[in-house]
Amino acid sequence: MISTTVEKARIISLEGIEKLPVAETNHGLKLVAIGGGTGLSTLLAGLKQLVGASDGGEGIWLETLSAIVTVSDDGGSSGRLRDELQMLPPGDIRNCMVALSEDSTLLSRLFRYRFRGSGELGGHSFGNLFLAALTEVTGDFVEAVRLSSEVLASKGRIYPATINDVRLVAELEDGSEVHGETQISASRLPIRHLRLEPAQCLPLPEALTAIRAADVVTVGPGSLYTSILPNLLVTRVADAIGQTRAIKIFICNLMTQPGETDGYTARQHLETVKKYVPEIAFDYVILNNHPISDEQATLYAADGAFQIGMHDHMFEKAFSAETEVVRTDLLDEGEKVRHNPDKLARVVLACCEQARTTSRPTVTRS
Amino acid sequence: MISTTVEKARIISLEGIEKLPVAETNHGLKLVAIGGGTGLSTLLAGLKQLVGASDGGEGIWLETLSAIVTVSDDGGSSGRLRDELQMLPPGDIRNCMVALSEDSTLLSRLFRYRFRGSGELGGHSFGNLFLAALTEVTGDFVEAVRLSSEVLASKGRIYPATINDVRLVAELEDGSEVHGETQISASRLPIRHLRLEPAQCLPLPEALTAIRAADVVTVGPGSLYTSILPNLLVTRVADAIGQTRAIKIFICNLMTQPGETDGYTARQHLETVKKYVPEIAFDYVILNNHPISDEQATLYAADGAFQIGMHDHMFEKAFSAETEVVRTDLLDEGEKVRHNPDKLARVVLACCEQARTTSRPTVTRS
């Protein structure tokens, strides 16, 4: 089963979405992507191309695309806005909005702009200021996100994971506690336990509805402790994912992250998620199998980051028959080690297609 | 001649633009409004209603509306941006953009928003930040103004008076010199002489073209020394206004302004303009003749501001036969003493209509 999937994923990534296995009927999927940071926005940039992309009968496409995005950031422009205006940190959401918008529009270009210098505006992302002003004008962060998405001609809906003023608290290996995403990322000690403060954070009803209606839920890629888990730890989110009959896909990171996942294998990434939210059983785990360049390896190693998934060949055996591991080339070109948005989107849809055309119990479409 | 105009203006302000004297042919005018601050944006808010408002044959309307706006502000949000990003001060222009936009649009609401509090964003106008970011993204302030106007569905074109980094310098009655709009406004001594630094400031070619093509040029209302004259002192602007055959209208302020025009009569306002730019001969001077309330008079007097034009009944006699003084009720309702945008726009068009239907030498339309 594994090798079949690998083959399929490889073919898809080479030949493009129009070569996806042909299905008998036109088929639009509802997809919910969960995460934060660069990882989630990369995935969304790929997925947005598939929204409403039905060619009238062949293959599968996305009917709706929703993103549930972490709001526990407390550094940089987001952190400054959080402190000054007591608003939810907009940074991760703004990145997703840009990813889902038409790249060429004026507002999309503006949203990507960051003020230069070290003055009072220096370092502030204009998109963050836009969300901040709109939150003040409308009195509602969620409404501000919705309206901005509209203005940006977004291809999907974006929901903050919670509307509570949530902070991350990590207990480290030495028993000490660090508060806030910035400090957690800065600390180099392994994380023993992560929790949200307050422990009870309310999700948006619309986000839960989107999960329940989903045909596919993806988790990742993204910082495990500061982008992925903060979403899943919000009250009722993991329950909702666990209870939905949607196909559940975990997209593993490309590199370990210093201070968060030092030395973690792909299996440890997944086991960590399992430890916090055992109610979620993933149908697919997507893993890059293409080695990064020697130059990249050297450069990243200097920062203490190493490639994931290349040396744990026994990974697949550790999982139940319900979880299928898909290994394929997911690397983007360029100096930085990044997922390629299109490859990522295609392999996600390939998993959906496989689930639909086989007799997997998770397939919900009638 | 004077009393006729007064009558006409009164009727117009009461019965609305659709009651303007009927002309034989459909007639669209090109109007250029010059000034800054609240005064200019009030006028523009009224004039925008008349852009493209032809009903197919009756009366006159505006074919194009252009504003030439002062960029010598150095205080508040504009001043901070000027210092931090070395850009032209966007405040006056932003106010005009808002005045020319559809009030109800999301972006127009955002443009009017000012961040609260005393933090690094506190006091910043979002519209200013928008223009700042767009100037950085496009590398061109004028282009940023044009693009923002487009996004705001502006009913007119807006030009900064100059693209030079211009500052105001005022020599006061005691011989001392003060630099910058903020200090000039703050100083309570009479201004003996005002100049721009650098003395040679370049206007936008598009602004000069707009003046040369204009059927009507309005000057004011607005702070005499910090909003009106800074435009007229820009190299070649006054020349261009003087040479055009457009109808030239001076709209007088409602109140004197402490530190700028203490004790000035309407005549002194006009004489001051004449002193700096003798090349401009106004065809009309528009003056409010409706008294402000006792409460307003008391409130404003406490700040040293007094109503203009109520006690200089000999004003008209001081001018040549070429300048007609139009006195009418121009007051808006509300606590603040402000021009009513609609009344102002109507009396401007009434002047144009009169100029067109009489044999005034300034009438340019064929």
Side-chain angles (χ1 to χ4, degrees):
Chain A
M1 185 142 78
I2 292 155
S3 62
T4 317
T5 309
V6 173
E7 282 308 302
K8 189 178 289 178
R10 277 186 192 282
I11 290 164
I12 291 156
S13 72
L14 289 172
E15 299 187 19
I17 187 64
E18 65 280 8
K19 299 294 180 193
L20 274 172
V22 177
E24 302 95 296
T25 53
N26 192 357
H27 200 91
L29 294 178
K30 296 182 174 69
L31 189 147
V32 173
I34 299 178
T38 315
L40 180 58
S41 54
T42 303
L43 174 64
L44 294 176
L47 289 175
K48 82 168 167 197
Q49 314 287 349
L50 309 176
V51 176
S54 164
D55 54 3
E58 291 192 12
I60 54 177
W61 48 283
L62 297 185
E63 188 183 313
T64 63
L65 172 55
S66 308
I68 299 178
V69 187
T70 183
V71 281
S72 52
D73 191 6
D74 60 6
S77 172
S78 281
R80 285 156 68 187
L81 289 171
R82 206 171 179 167
D83 289 344
E84 182 169 351
L85 300 172
Q86 292 78 50
M87 67 182 287
L88 285 172
D92 286 271
I93 284 176
R94 183 245 319 153
N95 273 330
C96 291
M97 294 173 83
V98 168
L100 285 175
S101 75
E102 287 293 332
D103 301 334
S104 55
T105 67
L106 181 64
L107 265 173
S108 175
R109 286 170 65 199
L110 270 179
F111 256 67
R112 287 194 296 271
Y113 175 72
R114 201 177 280 276
F115 285 100
R116 60 190 158 82
S118 56
E120 55 190 14
L121 292 176
H124 263 311
S125 148
F126 177 78
N128 287 356
L129 300 185
F130 190 100
L131 279 168
L134 197 48
T135 300
E136 296 281 315
V137 166
T138 62
D140 182 348
F141 181 72
V142 177
E143 179 68 358
V145 171
R146 196 187 63 77
L147 286 171
S148 309
S149 298
E150 223 168 77
V151 173
L152 284 166
S154 171
K155 291 277 196 175
R157 287 296 304 268
I158 295 170
Y159 305 107
T162 175
I163 46 168
N164 287 89
D165 181 25
V166 65
R167 308 269 169 174
L168 297 179
V169 182
E171 186 191 327
L172 303 181
E173 205 48 55
D174 65 354
S176 66
E177 237 182 35
V178 284
H179 291 247
E181 185 179 315
T182 307
Q183 286 194 43
I184 292 171
S185 299
S187 148
R188 288 296 171 119
L189 281 174
I191 296 165
R192 190 191 284 167
H193 186 71
L194 182 84
R195 62 182 170 85
L196 301 184
E197 204 173 74
Q200 285 283 321
C201 289
L202 292 181
L204 280 178
E206 297 92 323
L208 289 181
T209 303
I211 292 171
R212 288 182 188 127
D215 299 303
V216 201
V217 174
T218 65
V219 173
S223 303
L224 185 59
Y225 287 98
T226 54
S227 289
I228 307 297
L229 288 174
N231 285 296
L232 302 179
L233 292 179
V234 170
T235 314
R236 289 207 298 271
V237 168
D239 269 354
I241 300 172
Q243 284 160 17
T244 172
R245 295 178 62 217
I247 304 159
K248 297 161 197 85
I249 302 174
F250 183 78
I251 304 169
C252 196
N253 293 345
L254 298 169
M255 307 292 292
T256 62
Q257 201 170 353
E260 279 203 37
T261 52
D262 295 286
Y264 276 40
T265 60
R267 186 169 64 187
Q268 277 172 290
H269 277 79
L270 208 53
E271 279 170 352
T272 302
V273 174
K274 196 104 197 145
K275 176 184 137 192
Y276 285 92
V277 286
E279 52 271 58
I280 304 177
F282 289 101
D283 302 294
Y284 293 92
V285 174
I286 294 175
L287 203 55
N288 168 59
N289 70 356
H290 195 85
I292 62 174
S293 71
D294 291 347
E295 292 75 24
Q296 288 175 322
T298 309
L299 212 66
Y300 275 75
D303 281 336
F306 300 90
Q307 193 171 8
I308 296 167
M310 302 304 289
H311 305 295
D312 48 352
H313 296 297
M314 301 305 283
F315 180 47
E316 289 82 352
K317 295 192 177 153
F319 286 91
S320 66
E322 274 71 48
T323 302
E324 188 158 338
V325 178
V326 182
R327 290 178 184 266
T328 185
D329 173 13
L330 294 172
L331 280 193
D332 202 8
E333 291 178 4
E335 275 179 42
K336 285 191 175 175
V337 178
R338 293 274 186 264
H339 282 104
N340 175 284
D342 295 329
K343 291 178 183 173
L344 207 50
R346 285 170 194 160
V347 74
V348 166
L349 277 215
C351 293
C352 300
E353 184 63 27
Q354 200 212 36
R356 191 164 65 91
T357 52
T358 61
S359 58
R360 297 178 65 81
T362 47
V363 179
T364 58
R365 302 299 299 202
S366 56
Chain B
M1 186 142 81
I2 292 155
S3 60
T4 317
T5 310
V6 174
E7 282 309 301
K8 189 177 289 177
R10 278 186 191 281
I11 290 164
I12 291 157
S13 72
L14 289 173
E15 299 186 20
I17 187 64
E18 65 280 7
K19 300 294 182 193
L20 274 172
V22 176
E24 303 94 294
T25 53
N26 192 358
H27 200 92
L29 295 177
K30 296 183 174 69
L31 189 148
V32 173
I34 299 178
T38 315
L40 180 58
S41 54
T42 302
L43 174 64
L44 294 176
L47 289 175
K48 81 168 167 196
Q49 314 287 347
L50 309 176
V51 175
S54 164
D55 54 3
E58 291 193 13
I60 53 177
W61 49 284
L62 297 184
E63 188 183 314
T64 64
L65 172 56
S66 309
I68 299 178
V69 187
T70 183
V71 281
S72 51
D73 191 8
D74 60 6
S77 173
S78 280
R80 285 155 69 187
L81 289 171
R82 206 172 177 165
D83 289 344
E84 182 170 350
L85 300 172
Q86 291 78 51
M87 67 182 288
L88 285 172
D92 287 272
I93 284 176
R94 183 245 320 152
N95 273 330
C96 291
M97 293 172 84
V98 168
L100 286 175
S101 75
E102 287 293 331
D103 300 335
S104 55
T105 66
L106 181 63
L107 265 173
S108 174
R109 284 170 65 199
L110 270 179
F111 256 68
R112 287 194 296 270
Y113 174 72
R114 200 176 281 277
F115 284 100
R116 61 189 158 82
S118 56
E120 54 189 15
L121 291 176
H124 263 311
S125 148
F126 177 77
N128 287 356
L129 300 186
F130 190 98
L131 279 169
L134 197 47
T135 301
E136 296 281 315
V137 165
T138 61
D140 181 348
F141 181 71
V142 177
E143 178 68 359
V145 172
R146 195 187 65 75
L147 286 171
S148 309
S149 297
E150 223 168 76
V151 172
L152 284 166
S154 170
K155 291 277 196 176
R157 287 296 304 268
I158 295 170
Y159 304 107
T162 174
I163 46 169
N164 286 89
D165 181 26
V166 66
R167 309 269 166 172
L168 296 179
V169 182
E171 185 192 328
L172 303 181
E173 205 49 54
D174 65 354
S176 67
E177 237 182 35
V178 284
H179 290 247
E181 185 179 316
T182 307
Q183 287 195 42
I184 292 171
S185 299
S187 149
R188 288 295 170 121
L189 282 174
I191 295 165
R192 190 191 285 167
H193 185 71
L194 182 84
R195 62 182 170 86
L196 301 184
E197 205 174 72
Q200 285 284 321
C201 289
L202 292 180
L204 280 177
E206 297 93 322
L208 290 182
T209 303
I211 291 172
R212 288 182 188 128
D215 299 303
V216 201
V217 174
T218 65
V219 173
S223 303
L224 185 58
Y225 287 98
T226 55
S227 289
I228 306 298
L229 288 174
N231 286 295
L232 303 180
L233 292 179
V234 170
T235 313
R236 290 207 296 271
V237 167
D239 269 354
I241 299 173
Q243 284 161 15
T244 172
R245 295 181 60 218
I247 305 159
K248 296 159 198 86
I249 301 174
F250 182 78
I251 303 169
C252 196
N253 293 345
L254 298 169
M255 307 292 292
T256 62
Q257 201 170 353
E260 278 203 39
T261 52
D262 295 287
Y264 276 39
T265 61
R267 188 170 61 185
Q268 278 172 288
H269 277 78
L270 207 54
E271 279 170 352
T272 304
V273 175
K274 196 104 197 143
K275 175 185 137 193
Y276 285 92
V277 285
E279 52 271 58
I280 304 178
F282 288 102
D283 301 295
Y284 294 92
V285 175
I286 294 175
L287 202 55
N288 168 58
N289 69 357
H290 194 85
I292 62 174
S293 72
D294 291 347
E295 292 75 22
Q296 288 175 321
T298 310
L299 212 65
Y300 275 74
D303 281 336
F306 300 91
Q307 193 172 7
I308 295 167
M310 303 303 288
H311 305 295
D312 47 353
H313 295 298
M314 299 307 282
F315 181 46
E316 288 83 353
K317 295 192 179 154
F319 285 90
S320 67
E322 274 70 49
T323 302
E324 188 159 340
V325 178
V326 182
R327 289 178 184 268
T328 185
D329 173 12
L330 294 173
L331 280 193
D332 203 8
E333 290 177 6
E335 276 179 42
K336 286 192 176 174
V337 179
R338 293 272 186 265
H339 281 104
N340 176 284
D342 296 329
K343 291 178 183 173
L344 207 49
R346 284 169 195 161
V347 74
V348 166
L349 276 215
C351 293
C352 300
E353 183 63 25
Q354 199 212 36
R356 191 165 65 93
T357 52
T358 60
S359 57
R360 296 179 66 80
T362 46
V363 181
T364 59
R365 301 300 298 200
S366 56

